[in-house]
Amino acid sequence: MVSTSKLAVVTGGSTGIGKDISLLLAESGWNIAISNIHADENTEEVVDEIKSTGRDCFFYACDVGVKQEVEKFYRAIEENFGDAPDLLVNNAGVQTWAPLLDLKEADWDRVVRTNLKGCFLNTQIVANLMKKAKKPGSIVNIGSGCNKLAFPNLVDYSASKGGVEMFTKVAAVELGGMGIRVNCVAPGGILTNRTQEESSDYAGDWAKITPLGRVGYAKDIANAVIFLAGDQSSFITGQTIWVDGGAFTKANWPYA
Ligand code: NDP
C-alpha cells in the first residue's frame, strides 16, 4: 500500500486534456488515480510518464457512467492508497455530431450517461468518502462552451454540459458545509489529438474567433484545475472559470 498525503482522481486522465491535468498535478505533488474506458499501450506509457515525476499513479479501466464499475474503481483506489481522494476531476467526456432530428437514442444515452451521470456518480462516491474521512476536498468538473451557448448538431453534448453547469452549483451548495468545494472549468477550443481530427486547421480556425488570438492548449486547462485544487482558491465554490481566450464572451454583432 502506498502512503500519500494528497490523492487526485482524474477521469479520462490518460489522454488529451486529462493527461495534462494528471501530469501537472503529479508535478505539483499529487498522487494520481485515473479511470478511462479503454486501456492500451498508450495508457501504460502515460502511467510511466506520471510515475517518472516521483508520484504514484494508479490506472483502472471503467465506464464513468456505470455505477457498479465506478464503485469497483473506488474500492481499488482504497486498496491501493488506503485513503480517500482529496481531489476529483470529472474530465471524461464524449460527443457526437448530429442534427436534433436525426440524433440516435443510443448516442443521446451514451453522451448524457458519460458526461453528466458520470459526473454525478463519481462526485457522490468521492464526496461520501471525503465526508467519512472528515477531509476538506475539491471537485472540478470539466464543462464546455456548451455550458451556456447553443451549438448546432451538438444537442446531446450541450444538454449534458448545461447539466454539468447546474450540477456544479447544486453540489457546491450542498457540500459546502462539509468543506468540499465544487467548481467547473469550461474550455474554449483546445488543441488535442481528438480536436485536431475535427478540421484540417483546428488551431487556425479557433485563433480567428478567439479574442486572445490563439487556440488553447491542454496545459491552459490544467493550470486552472491546479488553482481550483489548491488553497489559493479556498473561498471559491460553485463557479465556472472560462478558459477560452474570451471566445465565449464575445457577442455576435452585425456592425463590426
Ligand atoms: P479526449 O477524447 O482526448 O478525452 C476524453 C477522455 O474521456 C478519454 O480519456 C476517454 O477514454 C475518456 N472517456 C470517454 N468516455 C468514457 C467513459 N464512459 N468512462 C471513462 N472514461 C471515458 O477529449 P478531450 O481531452 O478533448 O476532452 C476532455 C474533456 O474536455 C471532455 O469533458 C470534453 O467535453 C471537454 N472539452 C474539451 C474541449 C476541447 O477543445 N478539447 C472543449 C470543451 C470541452 P478513452 O481514451 O479510454 O476513450
Side-chain angles (χ1 to χ4, degrees):
M1 194 177 289
V2 182
S3 89
T4 169
S5 52
K6 289 198 293 180
L7 171 62
V9 174
V10 185
T11 69
S14 74
T15 68
I17 292 174
K19 177 184 167 187
D20 274 47
I21 293 172
S22 301
L23 268 172
L24 193 61
L25 282 166
E27 283 161 12
S28 308
W30 295 76
N31 290 326
I32 311 290
I34 292 173
S35 62
N36 273 52
I37 196 158
H38 308 109
D40 54 23
E41 62 285 351
N42 169 59
T43 314
E44 221 167 287
E45 247 174 59
V46 173
V47 169
D48 287 344
E49 196 178 343
I50 292 170
K51 284 184 173 169
S52 74
T53 65
R55 307 313 302 177
D56 193 22
C57 181
F58 171 75
F59 177 85
Y60 193 90
C62 91
D63 186 329
V64 290
V66 177
K67 188 173 182 184
Q68 296 86 333
E69 292 189 26
V70 176
E71 285 173 341
K72 281 189 198 158
F73 171 50
Y74 287 98
R75 278 200 292 277
I77 289 180
E78 167 74 22
E79 277 163 27
N80 194 71
F81 292 98
D83 202 1
D86 302 83
L87 170 69
L88 164 66
V89 185
N90 282 309
N91 164 75
V94 285
Q95 47 287 112
T96 56
W97 304 89
L100 169 61
L101 297 188
D102 300 334
L103 179 64
K104 292 189 173 62
E105 183 184 0
D107 283 336
W108 170 275
D109 286 345
R110 184 170 65 92
V111 169
V112 174
R113 189 179 66 238
T114 305
N115 300 1
L116 186 54
K117 188 177 177 188
C119 187
F120 155 64
L121 290 174
N122 282 267
T123 298
Q124 188 180 57
I125 293 183
V126 167
N128 270 311
L129 290 171
M130 287 171 172
K131 183 183 173 198
K132 196 166 152 214
K134 291 191 171 41
K135 47 162 81 173
S138 174
I139 296 172
V140 181
N141 302 320
I142 304 301
S144 153
C146 297
N147 281 35
K148 66 173 176 182
L149 293 177
F151 288 79
N153 301 323
L154 275 174
V155 66
D156 46 359
Y157 184 76
S158 302
S160 72
K161 292 293 185 179
V164 166
E165 173 83 13
M166 282 313 295
F167 177 84
T168 301
K169 293 180 189 184
V170 178
V173 168
E174 287 200 24
L175 302 178
M178 295 160 214
I180 301 169
R181 298 182 297 109
V182 188
N183 291 290
C184 179
V185 172
I190 307 297
L191 194 63
T192 63
N193 288 342
R194 177 184 63 79
T195 54
Q196 236 159 5
E197 286 169 12
E198 284 176 11
S199 138
S200 57
D201 184 17
Y202 184 86
D205 293 344
W206 278 87
K208 275 186 225 135
I209 62 159
T210 299
L212 287 182
R214 69 163 171 90
V215 75
Y217 300 102
K219 190 77 181 276
D220 294 312
I221 307 304
N223 281 327
V225 170
I226 288 280
F227 169 66
L228 290 172
D231 288 346
Q232 282 179 324
S233 61
S234 64
F235 202 48
I236 299 177
T237 196
Q239 302 305 306
T240 294
I241 297 187
W242 292 89
V243 185
D244 65 353
F248 303 132
T249 296
K250 189 171 144 191
N252 264 332
W253 187 246
Y255 309 114

